[in-house]
Amino acid sequence: MEKLTVLVLDDEHLIALLVETALLEAGFSVVVEHDAASGMSQIKALGADLSALVTDIRLGSGSGWDVAKHARGMRLGLPVVYMSGDSAHEWAAEGVPKSVMIQKPFTVAQIVGAVTTLLNSESSLI
Amino acid sequence: MEKLTVLVLDDEHLIALLVETALLEAGFSVVVEHDAASGMSQIKALGADLSALVTDIRLGSGSGWDVAKHARGMRLGLPVVYMSGDSAHEWAAEGVPKSVMIQKPFTVAQIVGAVTTLLNSESSLI
Amino acid sequence: MEKLTVLVLDDEHLIALLVETALLEAGFSVVVEHDAASGMSQIKALGADLSALVTDIRLGSGSGWDVAKHARGMRLGLPVVYMSGDSAHEWAAEGVPKSVMIQKPFTVAQIVGAVTTLLNSESSLI
Amino acid sequence: MEKLTVLVLDDEHLIALLVETALLEAGFSVVVEHDAASGMSQIKALGADLSALVTDIRLGSGSGWDVAKHARGMRLGLPVVYMSGDSAHEWAAEGVPKSVMIQKPFTVAQIVGAVTTLLNSESSLI
Amino acid sequence: MEKLTVLVLDDEHLIALLVETALLEAGFSVVVEHDAASGMSQIKALGADLSALVTDIRLGSGSGWDVAKHARGMRLGLPVVYMSGDSAHEWAAEGVPKSVMIQKPFTVAQIVGAVTTLLNSESSLI
Amino acid sequence: MEKLTVLVLDDEHLIALLVETALLEAGFSVVVEHDAASGMSQIKALGADLSALVTDIRLGSGSGWDVAKHARGMRLGLPVVYMSGDSAHEWAAEGVPKSVMIQKPFTVAQIVGAVTTLLNSESSLI
């Protein structure tokens, strides 16, 4: 089976690694970037091959809010999962619709669960 | 019973009037403004007395996207309903989470239904 | 068409009257009681003819929490809508599952909307 | 404002009339037919102008199940509301996804609520 | 603990094997068949021991649409997950209510997620 | 990453062990107790460090219904998952809102799925 690609954006390398590992074990391809500008470039490079975005809010050279808006502008139904420690209260104003905000601390099982739930509901849109 | 106040923002006066009438009949108090700057002022003036926002996207002196973000920044759980003819495809990137986008043409019953549904789910948050 | 019967329980007679009027206009039959004991008796008397319960929390001779549990014990899927001023924070511990809590102030359109939404999802259970 | 057109299909003329009246009061245009073949013809004639289908199950010359499948084949996201007395248990096998089954007895407020809820969620699909 | 049995139907043996493996790892019993007729027979043989159906659309000797309708006719609330490459657009007309359509390419984590979500919501029906 | 703590309450030690193992593999910290009184004590001891409750219904010295109400009284949005063999029909009257009831037999994947889904929706409340 062809694999689905998830872009993981986090400037904390350890968290990015833990999320990447859990997504790989769940059967996804994973691309990891550590700042907003590189994330934007990957979204452009991946194009239609991008299946989901998992992003921290505070990133070097930009915010996860901006990356998600940019990505949704290119692909309307893209599943978006935000991870955040202290920016969760901004989600109501800055998040994109039908996204999931996961507050730290969290387990990687929550990230995998959010990605698969969003992918499944995207598949079932009519 | 005390009344809930809905702010309706639309630069087309006829649509604003139709929406206002339907919300009044459903038992709400309604404040109507016709451009983004006046909307922002009303949100500030109403403060905690504002119960829901119904807004067009294209407004003089700003956009409905901006007004909604501003309003959510002041009150996290504020019910937001967007009405739009040709900007509906931007909702995925520009809308706030748990908002409702209603595309024109619509009936005013849809607006009233969206406002009451959002208010009810806000009440039932735990 | 046969009518659906909604039991409305509120010790404030004015609110009970406003809710009753709105439900009648929406096409329901309405039975009104003003304390918990009379509510319990009506639930027993109506039996399978009861279609939904709309109840205040603070009632003479008991609470709306108790009335709803009693009613659900007799009919598993009964739509339950709570109205409350200052007891809404107790809903997470005292409410029954798949109920709706509507905080005062509210409009009667919210009550009618909550009842019809719960009835429709009950009809669509598989 | 341009109006949204709902097709109502019921061989009981009194119920069709009550549903039509409620939808008209809610601001919709309504087209009524009384058997499956006429319903199919109207769906073809209305084309993209059809905004929702409200149908009984047992109809002369066919079933509501077939009419809904036919309509969904022409327009993927069409809101579908079934009304039924004794066929509700077949919905799990014969209904289309994201449809609403409303069992008799019902009030017309439930029909209007189901149509507006489905239209609103269709508008908010991303 | 007693195990829940999932029937997996796919004429591509490799995909059936990957899905089977993931469901086994998640703690389910799995029965695999490769065509519609054998699927129908297994549904009859398993009876009340069948807990969920995961089916491809294009199968030898019939379609996944028909198998799911047959299965729902025997057990109303059966969780149904469709997997499909090029038939996903038919789901709106041919799928059963409250089913999940998962489009290829997918990861097996999505299948497991859809089955557990549907089982959990079936348990929580009131 | 800091870990989320789940309290598992079951008087059947084997089931408690299987659930504990699955939650540990999913990345949670797990505290296990075997009766209602010890569960109540742990809820008090854990305080804000408790992230979710997974509880059987029939427990020595009390019921899972009571433990969950007690826990929700201390923390409004606490995710609650009930496991039950023969008490599932009482959930409609005795369960807390936005809880999940999982009927035996089940797989541990359903428990993990329910916990992560509830945690994710709690994070995304506005």
Side-chain angles (χ1 to χ4, degrees):
Chain A
M1 279 193 295
E2 202 182 332
K3 291 211 170 179
L4 299 178
T5 301
V6 181
L7 174 61
V8 175
L9 269 183
D10 202 319
D11 58 356
E12 294 180 65
H13 288 235
L14 179 56
I15 291 186
L17 183 63
L18 288 167
V19 172
E20 180 188 14
T21 305
L23 287 167
L24 287 171
E25 278 174 11
F28 294 96
S29 288
V30 183
V31 176
V32 178
E33 296 291 346
H34 302 294
D35 63 278
S38 308
M40 299 275 199
S41 301
Q42 276 293 357
I43 289 164
K44 194 174 170 189
L46 287 165
D49 290 334
L50 180 65
S51 291
L53 171 67
V54 176
T55 182
D56 192 17
I57 302 305
R58 298 195 183 192
L59 295 164
S61 75
S63 76
W65 307 128
D66 293 331
V67 177
K69 272 169 210 165
H70 177 77
R72 276 283 179 86
M74 292 181 57
R75 190 148 98 65
L76 288 191
L78 187 77
V80 172
V81 178
Y82 302 104
M83 308 174 288
S84 175
D86 53 4
S87 306
H89 63 286
E90 297 172 18
W91 178 74
E94 297 296 334
V96 293
K98 306 211 174 171
S99 59
V100 172
M101 161 57 73
I102 297 185
Q103 284 184 261
K104 296 174 186 168
F106 56 78
T107 67
V108 290
Q110 283 174 267
I111 305 288
V112 176
V115 169
T116 57
T117 298
L118 289 169
L119 281 169
N120 286 353
S121 71
E122 186 193 25
S123 284
S124 295
L125 290 185
I126 53 175
Chain B
M1 278 191 296
E2 202 183 330
K3 291 212 172 181
L4 300 178
T5 301
V6 182
L7 174 60
V8 175
L9 269 184
D10 201 319
D11 57 357
E12 294 180 64
H13 288 236
L14 178 56
I15 291 185
L17 183 64
L18 289 167
V19 172
E20 181 187 15
T21 306
L23 287 166
L24 287 170
E25 278 174 11
F28 293 97
S29 289
V30 183
V31 177
V32 178
E33 296 292 347
H34 301 294
D35 63 277
S38 309
M40 299 275 200
S41 302
Q42 276 293 357
I43 289 165
K44 192 173 171 189
L46 288 165
D49 291 334
L50 180 64
S51 291
L53 171 66
V54 176
T55 183
D56 191 17
I57 302 305
R58 299 195 183 192
L59 295 163
S61 75
S63 76
W65 307 128
D66 293 331
V67 177
K69 271 170 212 167
H70 177 76
R72 277 283 180 86
M74 293 181 58
R75 189 147 98 63
L76 285 193
L78 188 76
V80 172
V81 179
Y82 302 103
M83 307 174 288
S84 175
D86 53 3
S87 306
H89 63 286
E90 297 172 18
W91 178 73
E94 296 295 335
V96 293
K98 307 211 173 174
S99 59
V100 172
M101 161 57 71
I102 298 185
Q103 283 183 261
K104 295 174 186 167
F106 55 79
T107 68
V108 290
Q110 283 174 266
I111 305 289
V112 176
V115 170
T116 57
T117 299
L118 289 169
L119 281 168
N120 286 353
S121 70
E122 186 192 26
S123 283
S124 295
L125 290 186
I126 51 176
Chain C
M1 279 193 296
E2 203 183 331
K3 292 211 170 180
L4 299 178
T5 301
V6 181
L7 174 61
V8 175
L9 269 183
D10 202 319
D11 58 355
E12 293 179 65
H13 288 236
L14 178 57
I15 291 185
L17 183 62
L18 288 167
V19 172
E20 180 187 15
T21 305
L23 287 167
L24 287 170
E25 277 173 13
F28 293 96
S29 288
V30 183
V31 176
V32 178
E33 296 292 345
H34 301 294
D35 63 278
S38 309
M40 299 276 199
S41 301
Q42 276 293 357
I43 288 164
K44 193 174 171 189
L46 286 165
D49 290 334
L50 179 65
S51 291
L53 171 66
V54 176
T55 183
D56 192 17
I57 302 305
R58 298 195 184 193
L59 295 163
S61 75
S63 76
W65 306 128
D66 293 332
V67 178
K69 270 169 211 165
H70 178 76
R72 276 284 180 85
M74 291 181 58
R75 191 148 97 64
L76 288 192
L78 188 77
V80 171
V81 178
Y82 303 103
M83 308 174 288
S84 175
D86 53 4
S87 307
H89 63 285
E90 297 172 17
W91 178 73
E94 296 295 335
V96 293
K98 306 212 173 171
S99 58
V100 171
M101 161 57 73
I102 297 185
Q103 283 184 262
K104 295 174 186 168
F106 56 79
T107 67
V108 290
Q110 284 174 266
I111 305 288
V112 176
V115 170
T116 57
T117 298
L118 288 170
L119 280 169
N120 286 352
S121 71
E122 186 193 26
S123 283
S124 296
L125 289 186
I126 52 176
Chain D
M1 279 192 295
E2 201 184 332
K3 292 212 170 178
L4 298 179
T5 301
V6 181
L7 174 60
V8 175
L9 268 185
D10 202 318
D11 58 356
E12 294 180 63
H13 288 236
L14 179 57
I15 291 185
L17 183 63
L18 289 167
V19 172
E20 180 187 14
T21 305
L23 287 167
L24 287 170
E25 278 173 11
F28 293 96
S29 288
V30 183
V31 176
V32 177
E33 296 292 346
H34 301 294
D35 63 278
S38 308
M40 299 276 199
S41 301
Q42 277 292 359
I43 289 165
K44 193 174 172 189
L46 288 164
D49 291 335
L50 179 65
S51 290
L53 171 67
V54 177
T55 183
D56 192 16
I57 302 305
R58 299 196 183 191
L59 295 165
S61 75
S63 76
W65 306 129
D66 293 331
V67 177
K69 271 170 210 166
H70 178 77
R72 277 283 180 86
M74 291 181 59
R75 190 147 98 64
L76 285 193
L78 187 78
V80 172
V81 178
Y82 302 103
M83 309 174 286
S84 175
D86 52 3
S87 306
H89 63 286
E90 296 172 17
W91 178 73
E94 296 296 334
V96 294
K98 307 213 172 170
S99 58
V100 172
M101 162 57 74
I102 297 185
Q103 284 183 261
K104 296 175 186 167
F106 55 79
T107 68
V108 291
Q110 284 175 265
I111 305 289
V112 177
V115 170
T116 57
T117 298
L118 288 170
L119 280 168
N120 286 352
S121 69
E122 187 192 27
S123 283
S124 295
L125 290 186
I126 52 175
Chain E
M1 277 192 297
E2 201 183 332
K3 292 211 169 181
L4 298 178
T5 301
V6 181
L7 174 60
V8 175
L9 269 184
D10 202 320
D11 58 355
E12 294 180 63
H13 288 235
L14 179 58
I15 291 185
L17 183 63
L18 288 167
V19 172
E20 181 188 14
T21 305
L23 287 166
L24 288 171
E25 277 174 12
F28 293 97
S29 289
V30 183
V31 176
V32 178
E33 296 292 345
H34 301 294
D35 63 278
S38 309
M40 299 276 199
S41 302
Q42 276 293 357
I43 289 165
K44 193 174 171 189
L46 287 165
D49 291 333
L50 179 65
S51 290
L53 171 66
V54 177
T55 182
D56 192 16
I57 302 306
R58 298 196 183 190
L59 294 165
S61 74
S63 77
W65 306 128
D66 292 331
V67 178
K69 272 170 210 166
H70 177 77
R72 276 284 180 84
M74 291 181 58
R75 189 147 98 64
L76 286 193
L78 186 77
V80 172
V81 178
Y82 303 103
M83 308 174 287
S84 175
D86 53 4
S87 306
H89 62 287
E90 297 172 17
W91 178 73
E94 296 296 334
V96 293
K98 308 214 171 170
S99 59
V100 172
M101 162 57 74
I102 298 185
Q103 284 183 261
K104 295 173 187 168
F106 56 78
T107 68
V108 289
Q110 284 174 267
I111 305 288
V112 177
V115 169
T116 57
T117 298
L118 289 169
L119 280 169
N120 285 352
S121 71
E122 186 192 28
S123 283
S124 295
L125 291 184
I126 53 175
Chain F
M1 279 191 295
E2 202 182 332
K3 292 212 170 180
L4 300 178
T5 300
V6 181
L7 175 59
V8 175
L9 268 184
D10 201 320
D11 58 357
E12 294 180 64
H13 288 237
L14 178 57
I15 291 185
L17 183 63
L18 288 167
V19 172
E20 181 187 15
T21 305
L23 288 166
L24 287 171
E25 277 174 13
F28 294 96
S29 289
V30 183
V31 176
V32 178
E33 296 292 347
H34 301 294
D35 64 278
S38 309
M40 299 276 199
S41 302
Q42 276 292 358
I43 289 165
K44 193 174 172 190
L46 287 165
D49 291 333
L50 180 63
S51 290
L53 171 66
V54 177
T55 183
D56 192 17
I57 302 306
R58 299 195 183 191
L59 295 164
S61 76
S63 76
W65 307 127
D66 293 332
V67 178
K69 270 170 211 165
H70 177 77
R72 276 283 180 85
M74 293 181 58
R75 190 148 97 63
L76 286 192
L78 187 76
V80 172
V81 179
Y82 303 104
M83 307 174 287
S84 175
D86 53 3
S87 306
H89 64 285
E90 296 172 19
W91 178 73
E94 297 295 335
V96 294
K98 307 212 174 173
S99 59
V100 172
M101 161 57 73
I102 298 185
Q103 283 184 264
K104 295 176 187 167
F106 56 78
T107 68
V108 290
Q110 283 174 267
I111 306 289
V112 176
V115 169
T116 57
T117 298
L118 289 168
L119 281 169
N120 285 353
S121 71
E122 187 193 26
S123 284
S124 295
L125 290 185
I126 51 176

PDB file of all heavy atoms in Angstrom, chain B residues 8 10 30 38 42 44-45 51 58 64 70 73 76 81 87-88 92 95 97-98 100 105 115-116:
ATOM      1  N   VAL B   8     -25.492  41.531  14.310  1.00  0.00           N
ATOM      2  CA  VAL B   8     -25.582  41.179  12.890  1.00  0.00           C
ATOM      3  C   VAL B   8     -24.817  42.214  12.077  1.00  0.00           C
ATOM      4  O   VAL B   8     -25.075  43.415  12.192  1.00  0.00           O
ATOM      5  CB  VAL B   8     -27.052  41.132  12.420  1.00  0.00           C
ATOM      6  CG1 VAL B   8     -27.131  40.890  10.912  1.00  0.00           C
ATOM      7  CG2 VAL B   8     -27.810  40.057  13.182  1.00  0.00           C
ATOM      8  N   ASP B  10     -23.752  43.229   8.217  1.00  0.00           N
ATOM      9  CA  ASP B  10     -23.882  43.016   6.776  1.00  0.00           C
ATOM     10  C   ASP B  10     -24.007  44.370   6.100  1.00  0.00           C
ATOM     11  O   ASP B  10     -24.769  45.215   6.557  1.00  0.00           O
ATOM     12  CB  ASP B  10     -25.113  42.144   6.465  1.00  0.00           C
ATOM     13  CG  ASP B  10     -25.004  41.473   5.103  1.00  0.00           C
ATOM     14  OD1 ASP B  10     -24.553  42.116   4.138  1.00  0.00           O
ATOM     15  OD2 ASP B  10     -25.363  40.292   5.018  1.00  0.00           O
ATOM     16  N   VAL B  30     -31.376  42.206  18.986  1.00  0.00           N
ATOM     17  CA  VAL B  30     -30.487  42.272  17.833  1.00  0.00           C
ATOM     18  C   VAL B  30     -29.897  43.665  17.699  1.00  0.00           C
ATOM     19  O   VAL B  30     -30.608  44.663  17.845  1.00  0.00           O
ATOM     20  CB  VAL B  30     -31.233  41.907  16.526  1.00  0.00           C
ATOM     21  CG1 VAL B  30     -30.273  41.896  15.340  1.00  0.00           C
ATOM     22  CG2 VAL B  30     -31.919  40.556  16.663  1.00  0.00           C
ATOM     23  N   SER B  38     -17.577  49.627  12.697  1.00  0.00           N
ATOM     24  CA  SER B  38     -18.705  49.768  13.618  1.00  0.00           C
ATOM     25  C   SER B  38     -18.954  48.459  14.360  1.00  0.00           C
ATOM     26  O   SER B  38     -19.335  48.466  15.538  1.00  0.00           O
ATOM     27  CB  SER B  38     -19.972  50.168  12.852  1.00  0.00           C
ATOM     28  OG  SER B  38     -19.726  51.271  12.018  1.00  0.00           O
ATOM     29  N   GLN B  42     -19.022  47.929  18.419  1.00  0.00           N
ATOM     30  CA  GLN B  42     -20.158  47.315  19.117  1.00  0.00           C
ATOM     31  C   GLN B  42     -19.705  46.151  19.993  1.00  0.00           C
ATOM     32  O   GLN B  42     -20.213  45.946  21.097  1.00  0.00           O
ATOM     33  CB  GLN B  42     -21.203  46.812  18.120  1.00  0.00           C
ATOM     34  CG  GLN B  42     -22.165  47.872  17.649  1.00  0.00           C
ATOM     35  CD  GLN B  42     -23.098  48.370  18.765  1.00  0.00           C
ATOM     36  OE1 GLN B  42     -23.065  47.882  19.897  1.00  0.00           O
ATOM     37  NE2 GLN B  42     -23.886  49.374  18.440  1.00  0.00           N
ATOM     38  N   LYS B  44     -16.909  45.781  21.444  1.00  0.00           N
ATOM     39  CA  LYS B  44     -16.283  46.350  22.637  1.00  0.00           C
ATOM     40  C   LYS B  44     -17.340  46.916  23.584  1.00  0.00           C
ATOM     41  O   LYS B  44     -17.300  46.707  24.793  1.00  0.00           O
ATOM     42  CB  LYS B  44     -15.302  47.453  22.220  1.00  0.00           C
ATOM     43  CG  LYS B  44     -14.384  47.908  23.336  1.00  0.00           C
ATOM     44  CD  LYS B  44     -13.332  48.869  22.814  1.00  0.00           C
ATOM     45  CE  LYS B  44     -12.552  49.493  23.973  1.00  0.00           C
ATOM     46  NZ  LYS B  44     -11.676  50.578  23.479  1.00  0.00           N
ATOM     47  N   ALA B  45     -18.331  47.630  22.999  1.00  0.00           N
ATOM     48  CA  ALA B  45     -19.371  48.265  23.808  1.00  0.00           C
ATOM     49  C   ALA B  45     -20.257  47.228  24.498  1.00  0.00           C
ATOM     50  O   ALA B  45     -20.624  47.377  25.669  1.00  0.00           O
ATOM     51  CB  ALA B  45     -20.227  49.184  22.927  1.00  0.00           C
ATOM     52  N   SER B  51     -23.945  37.828  22.856  1.00  0.00           N
ATOM     53  CA  SER B  51     -24.157  36.378  22.951  1.00  0.00           C
ATOM     54  C   SER B  51     -23.799  35.628  21.680  1.00  0.00           C
ATOM     55  O   SER B  51     -23.556  34.426  21.724  1.00  0.00           O
ATOM     56  CB  SER B  51     -25.621  36.081  23.309  1.00  0.00           C
ATOM     57  OG  SER B  51     -25.876  36.482  24.628  1.00  0.00           O
ATOM     58  N   ARG B  58     -17.497  40.141   3.305  1.00  0.00           N
ATOM     59  CA  ARG B  58     -17.038  41.384   2.682  1.00  0.00           C
ATOM     60  C   ARG B  58     -17.778  42.562   3.283  1.00  0.00           C
ATOM     61  O   ARG B  58     -18.974  42.733   3.073  1.00  0.00           O
ATOM     62  CB  ARG B  58     -17.294  41.352   1.184  1.00  0.00           C
ATOM     63  CG  ARG B  58     -16.571  40.226   0.498  1.00  0.00           C
ATOM     64  CD  ARG B  58     -16.567  40.475  -0.989  1.00  0.00           C
ATOM     65  NE  ARG B  58     -15.927  39.369  -1.673  1.00  0.00           N
ATOM     66  CZ  ARG B  58     -15.573  39.385  -2.937  1.00  0.00           C
ATOM     67  NH1 ARG B  58     -15.816  40.480  -3.661  1.00  0.00           N
ATOM     68  NH2 ARG B  58     -14.992  38.354  -3.503  1.00  0.00           N
ATOM     69  N   GLY B  64     -15.232  40.163   7.607  1.00  0.00           N
ATOM     70  CA  GLY B  64     -15.868  39.404   8.673  1.00  0.00           C
ATOM     71  C   GLY B  64     -14.896  38.458   9.361  1.00  0.00           C
ATOM     72  O   GLY B  64     -15.042  38.169  10.554  1.00  0.00           O
ATOM     73  N   HIS B  70     -11.249  39.015  16.232  1.00  0.00           N
ATOM     74  CA  HIS B  70     -11.241  40.043  17.266  1.00  0.00           C
ATOM     75  C   HIS B  70     -12.224  39.679  18.388  1.00  0.00           C
ATOM     76  O   HIS B  70     -11.892  39.725  19.578  1.00  0.00           O
ATOM     77  CB  HIS B  70     -11.613  41.383  16.625  1.00  0.00           C
ATOM     78  CG  HIS B  70     -11.707  42.518  17.569  1.00  0.00           C
ATOM     79  ND1 HIS B  70     -10.602  43.150  18.091  1.00  0.00           N
ATOM     80  CD2 HIS B  70     -12.787  43.139  18.105  1.00  0.00           C
ATOM     81  CE1 HIS B  70     -10.995  44.112  18.901  1.00  0.00           C
ATOM     82  NE2 HIS B  70     -12.316  44.119  18.934  1.00  0.00           N
ATOM     83  N   GLY B  73     -11.094  36.703  20.402  1.00  0.00           N
ATOM     84  CA  GLY B  73      -9.997  37.085  21.287  1.00  0.00           C
ATOM     85  C   GLY B  73     -10.517  37.658  22.598  1.00  0.00           C
ATOM     86  O   GLY B  73      -9.894  37.521  23.646  1.00  0.00           O
ATOM     87  N   LEU B  76     -13.801  33.681  24.409  1.00  0.00           N
ATOM     88  CA  LEU B  76     -13.333  32.451  23.772  1.00  0.00           C
ATOM     89  C   LEU B  76     -14.448  31.654  23.093  1.00  0.00           C
ATOM     90  O   LEU B  76     -14.297  31.174  21.991  1.00  0.00           O
ATOM     91  CB  LEU B  76     -12.655  31.548  24.802  1.00  0.00           C
ATOM     92  CG  LEU B  76     -11.264  31.981  25.243  1.00  0.00           C
ATOM     93  CD1 LEU B  76     -10.597  30.859  25.996  1.00  0.00           C
ATOM     94  CD2 LEU B  76     -10.411  32.358  24.034  1.00  0.00           C
ATOM     95  N   VAL B  81     -21.358  32.900  13.324  1.00  0.00           N
ATOM     96  CA  VAL B  81     -21.964  32.417  12.083  1.00  0.00           C
ATOM     97  C   VAL B  81     -21.562  33.363  10.957  1.00  0.00           C
ATOM     98  O   VAL B  81     -21.781  34.567  11.051  1.00  0.00           O
ATOM     99  CB  VAL B  81     -23.507  32.370  12.188  1.00  0.00           C
ATOM    100  CG1 VAL B  81     -24.131  31.898  10.875  1.00  0.00           C
ATOM    101  CG2 VAL B  81     -23.940  31.467  13.337  1.00  0.00           C
ATOM    102  N   SER B  87     -17.144  33.888  -0.727  1.00  0.00           N
ATOM    103  CA  SER B  87     -15.945  33.717   0.089  1.00  0.00           C
ATOM    104  C   SER B  87     -15.978  32.424   0.900  1.00  0.00           C
ATOM    105  O   SER B  87     -15.109  32.188   1.737  1.00  0.00           O
ATOM    106  CB  SER B  87     -15.772  34.901   1.053  1.00  0.00           C
ATOM    107  OG  SER B  87     -15.784  36.121   0.354  1.00  0.00           O
ATOM    108  N   ALA B  88     -16.975  31.572   0.645  1.00  0.00           N
ATOM    109  CA  ALA B  88     -17.150  30.384   1.473  1.00  0.00           C
ATOM    110  C   ALA B  88     -15.933  29.461   1.414  1.00  0.00           C
ATOM    111  O   ALA B  88     -15.581  28.815   2.399  1.00  0.00           O
ATOM    112  CB  ALA B  88     -18.405  29.622   1.056  1.00  0.00           C
ATOM    113  N   ALA B  92     -12.225  27.493   5.384  1.00  0.00           N
ATOM    114  CA  ALA B  92     -11.312  26.477   5.919  1.00  0.00           C
ATOM    115  C   ALA B  92      -9.998  27.081   6.407  1.00  0.00           C
ATOM    116  O   ALA B  92      -9.370  26.559   7.330  1.00  0.00           O
ATOM    117  CB  ALA B  92     -11.032  25.408   4.863  1.00  0.00           C
ATOM    118  N   GLY B  95     -11.679  30.978   8.785  1.00  0.00           N
ATOM    119  CA  GLY B  95     -12.705  30.905   9.828  1.00  0.00           C
ATOM    120  C   GLY B  95     -12.118  30.536  11.179  1.00  0.00           C
ATOM    121  O   GLY B  95     -11.008  30.028  11.257  1.00  0.00           O
ATOM    122  N   PRO B  97     -12.440  28.189  14.761  1.00  0.00           N
ATOM    123  CA  PRO B  97     -12.953  26.850  15.061  1.00  0.00           C
ATOM    124  C   PRO B  97     -14.384  26.891  15.607  1.00  0.00           C
ATOM    125  O   PRO B  97     -14.770  27.846  16.286  1.00  0.00           O
ATOM    126  CB  PRO B  97     -11.984  26.326  16.128  1.00  0.00           C
ATOM    127  CG  PRO B  97     -10.725  27.089  15.903  1.00  0.00           C
ATOM    128  CD  PRO B  97     -11.176  28.455  15.464  1.00  0.00           C
ATOM    129  N   LYS B  98     -15.128  25.832  15.333  1.00  0.00           N
ATOM    130  CA  LYS B  98     -16.504  25.681  15.810  1.00  0.00           C
ATOM    131  C   LYS B  98     -17.407  26.840  15.390  1.00  0.00           C
ATOM    132  O   LYS B  98     -18.349  27.187  16.099  1.00  0.00           O
ATOM    133  CB  LYS B  98     -16.543  25.485  17.335  1.00  0.00           C
ATOM    134  CG  LYS B  98     -15.620  24.349  17.748  1.00  0.00           C
ATOM    135  CD  LYS B  98     -16.074  23.613  18.959  1.00  0.00           C
ATOM    136  CE  LYS B  98     -15.133  22.407  19.138  1.00  0.00           C
ATOM    137  NZ  LYS B  98     -15.349  21.676  20.347  1.00  0.00           N
ATOM    138  N   VAL B 100     -19.839  28.366  12.100  1.00  0.00           N
ATOM    139  CA  VAL B 100     -20.650  27.821  11.024  1.00  0.00           C
ATOM    140  C   VAL B 100     -20.598  28.782   9.841  1.00  0.00           C
ATOM    141  O   VAL B 100     -20.728  29.995  10.009  1.00  0.00           O
ATOM    142  CB  VAL B 100     -22.116  27.626  11.476  1.00  0.00           C
ATOM    143  CG1 VAL B 100     -23.011  27.248  10.292  1.00  0.00           C
ATOM    144  CG2 VAL B 100     -22.206  26.548  12.547  1.00  0.00           C
ATOM    145  N   PRO B 105     -27.330  31.168  -1.715  1.00  0.00           N
ATOM    146  CA  PRO B 105     -28.545  31.613  -1.031  1.00  0.00           C
ATOM    147  C   PRO B 105     -28.837  30.756   0.195  1.00  0.00           C
ATOM    148  O   PRO B 105     -28.512  29.589   0.229  1.00  0.00           O
ATOM    149  CB  PRO B 105     -29.629  31.393  -2.088  1.00  0.00           C
ATOM    150  CG  PRO B 105     -29.121  30.245  -2.889  1.00  0.00           C
ATOM    151  CD  PRO B 105     -27.626  30.408  -2.920  1.00  0.00           C
ATOM    152  N   VAL B 115     -27.409  29.763  15.096  1.00  0.00           N
ATOM    153  CA  VAL B 115     -27.175  30.510  16.332  1.00  0.00           C
ATOM    154  C   VAL B 115     -27.642  29.698  17.549  1.00  0.00           C
ATOM    155  O   VAL B 115     -26.906  29.556  18.532  1.00  0.00           O
ATOM    156  CB  VAL B 115     -27.882  31.884  16.303  1.00  0.00           C
ATOM    157  CG1 VAL B 115     -27.850  32.544  17.682  1.00  0.00           C
ATOM    158  CG2 VAL B 115     -27.223  32.798  15.271  1.00  0.00           C
ATOM    159  N   THR B 116     -28.840  29.117  17.472  1.00  0.00           N
ATOM    160  CA  THR B 116     -29.338  28.370  18.642  1.00  0.00           C
ATOM    161  C   THR B 116     -28.521  27.104  18.870  1.00  0.00           C
ATOM    162  O   THR B 116     -28.241  26.747  20.015  1.00  0.00           O
ATOM    163  CB  THR B 116     -30.837  28.024  18.501  1.00  0.00           C
ATOM    164  OG1 THR B 116     -31.050  27.281  17.313  1.00  0.00           O
ATOM    165  CG2 THR B 116     -31.687  29.273  18.457  1.00  0.00           C
TER     166      THR B 116
END
